[in-house]
Amino acid sequence: MPMRVLIVDDEPIARRRISRLLKLEDDVEVVNEVGSGTDAVAAIREQRPDLVFLDVQMPGPDGFGVVSGLGEPEAMPAIVFVTAYNEYAVKAFDVNAVDYVLKPFDGERFRSAFQ
């Protein structure tokens, strides 16, 4: 069964880059790509991804607002924050992110986060 992944970033170029890198991985299904925090919460609730690549700053709730908006921790997918801002790293791990990837990133760093 493939890993179900949701990509959340307000920049279409960033979403495409993550999607292209995920195509290099085995057994991955990108279930959706969205560009706002509001759409992210809805997509996570409806599609139940295993993993979310989540930007920090975007329209609607930011990445941390998305995480807090999901409520019950047992329903929380694995979260990898992907952002250009290093100042949120500690906060990301406080909300149990599995990784924190700084833009711009290379394929090797992305693969490490995915693994």
Side-chain angles (χ1 to χ4, degrees):
M1 188 162 149
M3 178 178 288
R4 298 169 43 80
V5 179
L6 172 67
I7 301 169
V8 182
D9 199 304
D10 62 329
E11 299 173 19
I13 292 170
R15 290 194 306 267
R16 282 194 300 271
R17 172 139 170 79
I18 292 170
S19 182
R20 278 195 310 272
L21 289 168
L22 286 170
K23 287 179 182 173
L24 300 174
E25 300 295 331
D26 294 329
D27 293 324
V28 173
E29 175 189 359
V30 175
V31 296
N32 204 347
E33 297 180 21
V34 299
S36 74
T38 303
D39 290 343
V41 171
I44 292 168
R45 287 184 176 152
E46 291 169 16
Q47 296 163 331
R48 300 285 187 200
D50 302 307
L51 174 63
V52 178
F53 285 94
L54 181 62
D55 192 11
V56 172
Q57 293 190 344
M58 62 190 148
D62 67 8
F64 297 104
V66 169
V67 171
S68 67
L70 292 173
E72 26 352 288
E74 62 276 357
M76 187 76 60
I79 303 288
V80 173
F81 281 98
V82 181
T83 183
Y85 303 95
N86 64 359
E87 63 264 25
Y88 300 108
V90 172
K91 186 174 180 181
F93 291 109
D94 286 344
V95 298
N96 298 315
V98 295
D99 208 338
Y100 192 88
V101 179
L102 285 175
K103 297 176 187 175
F105 53 86
D106 61 20
E108 184 178 320
R109 176 63 183 101
F110 180 85
R111 186 145 208 253
S112 172
F114 178 76
Q115 295 298 323

